[in-house]
């Protein structure tokens, strides 16, 4: 387990769960340990939750037929459950769904899942008890995190299999992460003074029959993608400086005639970064190659997508997305398919495409930087060695190969998961979203693109240093100088060849903790 997965600091704020909306950043702050959680004490909220559970209890006393309460699950909805067995049904559903495989979600992802499911159940349309919500809050407060296998969900009826592991832990079954150690749930709950829950009718289904895993992963993906738009823009500015490029490609008048707002923002950020004297194109190549000149157009696709990606993710986050929906106020049980994760699937498939294009952009910039035919006077492979030893030093030759490999893998993963729907569960679930697979793919693409970005940070740090050594009359502007100063604390210039993996891993930590404040 990575050290970043463990809570090590006092949370800066507290997030209260009630029927109101949360933002992506709320889920991420809970997941990363910078926010604590509490359940609202408001009488109106608590009575609304109680009404849903009480209404289901009344229907049961009246012997009404309720899917997943007095019937079997899925295609077994036509199988009536005797009233004397209704109380056992919630446990049955999480037990038989305990068949996930693959790597376990990491602690950050697991906290996000719990917080996301809690957000939905707190809307008051799931027929669950206040006790269930309180138990979920206790898990977050005590940082007892269910071991949830990442594979086994088709994204409708929601994330059934992975969420079954959350349901099991709430009841003292299964296993949890506790301080980075794998512990039996019963033991962990007992040590924390938490009594295992006995789920009421529909509560097993309510926990599991929703989109919490894919939506939680989407929240985490969103903040990483948003940060990459800024980081790749800053890298592009450094690459342009190192290549002695023409900053007039980012002129405000030029971008005023193609009014994609995100693209314009990226061009504006580049204008902030590049020194004024670079606006003079005298003596420079008339048009830089596309990976520099068209960078706002490439990065701008993601920048322009982020607002609607946020809307889709936050709508799903703040929805009641299980089945059936319990309308206690109108005394109705409504049967539908809100567990279908199509919006998240499409958002994640779209995001990973736009993000992978950033890797391709950076890979092309790297190719220009290391090639003496195209880098406007810099040494081959950006080697810093001068004199006889230059013959045996190879600079960033291997780093460029690695960046190309990571880029190729990212691009390979852009096939949309959402088009691979499969008919499952006796053709009851005959059209499914694949949203969780899309979200997992998107996170892998983000991981690979961050690796490419780490490689480029080494390359542009080296390239800017070499450009300044080659021409001592030029210097980066204030914003780029600040970034270079920050990078110099992590990366020494490369003169004699050395192993770069430690630098890459440190830079990845910096990227994933979003340590550099970019374009506030």
């Amino acid at each position: 387990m990575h050290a970043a997965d463990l809570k090590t600091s006092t949370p800066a704020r507290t997030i209260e769960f009630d029927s109101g909306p949360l933002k992506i950043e709320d889920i991420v702050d809970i997941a990363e340990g910078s926010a604590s959680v509490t359940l609202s004490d408001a009488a109106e909220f608590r009575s609304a939750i109680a009404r849903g559970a009480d209404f289901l209890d009344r229907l049961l006393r009246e012997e009404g037929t309720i899917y997943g309460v007095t019937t079997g699950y899925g295609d077994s909805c036509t199988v009536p459950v005797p009233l004397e067995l209704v109380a056992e049904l919630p446990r049955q559903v999480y037990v038989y769904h305990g068949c996930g495989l693959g790597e376990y979600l990491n602690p950050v992802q697991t906290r996000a899942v719990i917080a996301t499911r809690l957000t939905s159940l707190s809307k008051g349309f799931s027929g669950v008890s206040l006790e269930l919500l309180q138990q979920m809050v206790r898990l977050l407060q005590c940082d007892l995190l269910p071991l949830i296998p990442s594979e086994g969900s088709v994204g409708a009826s929601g994330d059934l299999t992975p969420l079954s592991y959350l349901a099991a832990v709430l009841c003292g079954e299964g296993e949890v992460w506790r301080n980075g150690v794998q512990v039996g749930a019963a033991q962990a709950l007992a040590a924390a003074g938490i009594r295992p829950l006995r789920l009421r009718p529909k509560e097993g289904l309510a926990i599991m029959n929703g989109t919490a895993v894919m939506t939680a992963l989407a929240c985490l993906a969103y903040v990483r993608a948003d940060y990459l738009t800024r980081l790749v823009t800053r890298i592009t500015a450094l690459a342009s400086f190192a290549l002695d490029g023409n900053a007039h490609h980012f002129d405000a008048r030029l971008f005023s005639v193609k009014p994609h707002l995100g693209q314009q923002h990226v061009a504006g950020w580049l204008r902030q970064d590049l020194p004024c004297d670079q606006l003079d194109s005298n003596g420079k190549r008339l048009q830089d190659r596309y990976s520099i000149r068209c960078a706002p157009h490439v990065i701008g696709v993601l920048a322009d997508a982020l607002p609607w990606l946020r809307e889709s993710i936050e709508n799903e986050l703040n929805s009641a997305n299980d089945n059936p929906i319990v309308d206690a106020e109108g005394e109705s049980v409504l049967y539908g398919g809100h567990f279908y994760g199509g919006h998240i699937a499409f958002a994640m498939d779209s995001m990973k495409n736009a993000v992978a294009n950033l890797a391709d952009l950076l890979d092309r910039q790297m190719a220009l930087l290391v090639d003496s035919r195209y880098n406007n006077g810099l040494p081959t492979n950006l080697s810093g060695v001068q004199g006889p030893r230059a013959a045996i030093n190879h600079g960033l030759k291997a780093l460029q190969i690695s960046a190309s490999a990571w880029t190729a893998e990212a691009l390979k993963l852009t096939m949309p998961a959402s088009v691979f729907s499969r008919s499952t569960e006796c053709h009851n679930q005959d059209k499914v979203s694949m949203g969780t697979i899309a979200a997992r793919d998107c996170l892998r693409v983000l991981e690979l693109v961050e690796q490419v970005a780490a490689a480029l940070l080494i390359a542009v740090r080296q390239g800017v240093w070499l450009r300044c050594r080659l021409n001592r009359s030029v210097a980066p502007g204030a914003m780029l100088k600040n970034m270079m100063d920050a990078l110099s604390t992590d990366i020494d210039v490369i003169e004699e060849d050395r192993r770069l993996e430690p630098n890459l891993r440190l830079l990845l930590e910096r990227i994933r903790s979003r340590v550099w404040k970019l374009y506030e």
Side-chain angles (χ1 to χ4, degrees):
M1 182 178 295
H2 197 282
D5 292 329
L6 302 177
K7 288 187 175 180
T8 56
S9 60
T10 302
R13 65 189 182 107
T14 297
I15 293 171
E16 182 178 83
F17 284 87
D18 54 22
S19 59
L22 293 184
K23 298 179 70 64
I24 287 171
E25 290 77 11
D26 296 324
I27 299 299
V28 173
D29 285 352
I30 293 168
E32 295 181 345
S34 60
S36 60
V37 302
T38 188
L39 195 66
S40 173
D41 285 327
E44 183 179 357
F45 164 71
R46 295 196 166 214
S47 64
I49 296 297
R51 276 198 302 273
D54 292 344
F55 171 60
L56 283 183
D57 285 346
R58 179 159 64 81
L59 283 184
L60 276 175
R61 289 194 301 270
E62 296 170 356
E63 298 188 15
T65 298
I66 309 168
Y67 167 72
V69 178
T70 60
T71 75
Y73 296 115
D75 184 62
S76 301
C77 66
T78 59
V79 178
V81 174
L83 287 178
E84 64 270 18
L85 296 179
V86 164
E88 297 183 37
L89 195 57
R91 183 177 183 276
Q92 294 294 119
V93 73
Y94 70 71
V95 168
Y96 83 79
H97 272 288
C99 55
L101 283 178
E103 293 185 2
Y104 293 117
L105 298 182
N106 66 38
V108 169
Q109 293 167 344
T110 305
R111 293 184 198 109
V113 168
I114 300 171
T116 298
R117 196 73 202 119
L118 183 57
T119 303
S120 181
L121 296 179
S122 296
K123 301 304 173 192
F125 297 106
S126 299
V128 301
S129 64
L130 191 64
E131 289 76 15
L132 172 59
L133 305 185
Q134 290 169 327
Q135 189 83 330
M136 295 174 74
V137 167
R138 292 183 196 110
L139 290 187
L140 289 170
Q141 290 174 336
C142 296
D143 208 32
L144 302 179
L145 306 174
L147 269 67
I148 301 177
S150 59
E151 299 172 8
S153 173
V154 294
S157 298
D159 291 311
L160 289 168
T161 289
L163 288 174
S164 73
Y165 289 79
L166 169 59
V169 165
L170 292 167
C171 301
E173 300 181 45
E175 295 176 303
V176 300
W177 294 114
R178 184 181 63 184
N179 298 324
V181 178
Q182 191 172 317
V183 181
Q187 174 188 343
L189 292 184
I194 301 171
R195 296 179 60 182
L197 200 64
R198 181 172 175 81
L199 297 179
R200 294 171 61 163
K202 193 187 176 290
E203 288 189 333
L205 189 63
I207 296 166
M208 295 164 50
N209 200 4
T211 60
V213 176
M214 67 181 84
T215 305
L217 299 184
C219 289
L220 298 173
Y222 180 91
V223 295
R224 291 169 74 172
D226 180 57
Y227 191 72
L228 275 172
T229 62
R230 292 164 167 77
L231 180 61
V232 174
T233 303
R234 175 59 50 80
I235 289 171
T236 296
L238 289 164
S240 177
F241 181 90
L243 291 165
D244 197 24
N246 268 324
H248 74 271
H249 293 317
F250 314 122
D251 190 286
R253 295 166 298 173
L254 177 65
F255 280 87
S256 69
V257 303
K258 191 171 185 183
H260 295 294
L261 190 59
Q263 178 179 280
Q264 290 178 329
H265 283 156
V266 173
W269 293 337
L270 288 167
R271 289 195 297 276
Q272 292 177 38
D273 277 353
L274 293 167
C276 293
D277 60 1
Q278 277 205 300
L279 293 174
D280 181 4
S281 62
N282 292 334
K284 298 179 186 288
R285 179 184 168 96
L286 183 62
Q287 292 193 145
D288 290 334
R289 289 172 174 82
Y290 284 14
S291 62
I292 300 297
R293 188 185 358 148
C294 298
H297 308 75
V298 178
I299 305 168
V301 173
L302 179 57
D304 276 303
L306 286 171
W308 71 258
L309 289 169
R310 174 184 287 277
E311 181 179 13
S312 286
I313 295 167
E314 289 186 341
N315 277 345
E316 193 69 36
L317 170 65
N318 290 295
S319 68
N321 48 56
D322 54 306
N323 176 58
I325 294 297
V326 178
D327 176 14
E329 195 73 32
E331 297 193 341
S332 299
V333 177
L334 307 170
Y335 299 97
H338 286 351
F339 47 67
Y340 190 85
H343 283 80
I344 296 296
F346 185 70
M348 292 295 92
D349 280 345
S350 303
M351 183 186 289
K352 72 183 181 185
N353 183 302
V355 169
N357 267 286
L358 300 187
D360 203 29
L361 178 77
L362 294 177
D363 182 57
R364 296 299 83 217
Q365 292 177 0
M366 181 79 156
L368 295 179
L369 285 162
V370 300
D371 195 328
S372 59
R373 294 171 297 176
Y374 307 115
N375 64 17
N376 295 326
L378 298 180
T380 298
N381 295 312
L382 300 182
S383 176
V385 175
Q386 297 175 312
R389 293 189 63 80
I392 65 168
N393 275 272
H394 295 79
L396 305 187
K397 181 187 289 285
L399 184 63
Q400 196 236 339
I401 295 170
S402 291
S404 185
W406 300 327
T407 299
E409 186 172 349
L411 295 172
K412 179 179 72 71
L413 291 172
T414 56
M415 173 68 77
S418 55
V419 300
F420 286 95
S421 175
R422 305 178 63 80
S423 184
T424 64
E425 204 255 308
C426 300
H427 300 292
N428 177 54
Q429 300 177 16
D430 60 349
K431 173 62 177 161
V432 293
S433 76
M434 297 298 183
T436 310
I437 295 173
R440 286 174 36 236
D441 281 353
C442 187
L443 288 174
R444 176 58 179 157
V445 169
L446 282 160
E447 183 178 58
L448 290 161
V449 178
E450 288 163 350
Q451 291 173 193
V452 177
L456 264 292
L457 286 169
I458 293 175
V460 294
R461 188 264 190 270
Q462 184 80 353
V464 170
W465 170 69
L466 289 168
R467 178 62 63 192
C468 293
R469 188 176 76 175
L470 184 69
N471 184 352
R472 299 193 182 278
S473 67
V474 303
M479 296 185 77
L480 292 192
K481 182 181 182 303
N482 289 341
M483 187 71 182
M484 286 292 291
D485 290 345
L487 290 174
S488 67
T489 64
D490 292 334
I491 317 165
D492 291 330
V493 295
I494 302 162
E495 295 182 278
E496 195 73 21
D497 287 349
R498 68 170 189 265
R499 179 171 170 258
L500 294 176
E501 181 189 344
N503 292 120
L504 288 166
R505 293 195 181 278
L506 177 58
L507 288 169
L508 277 174
E509 286 187 21
R510 300 285 192 253
I511 292 168
R512 289 168 185 165
S513 61
R514 306 182 292 282
V515 68
W516 302 300
K517 303 304 180 187
L518 305 170
Y519 311 115
E520 292 296 327

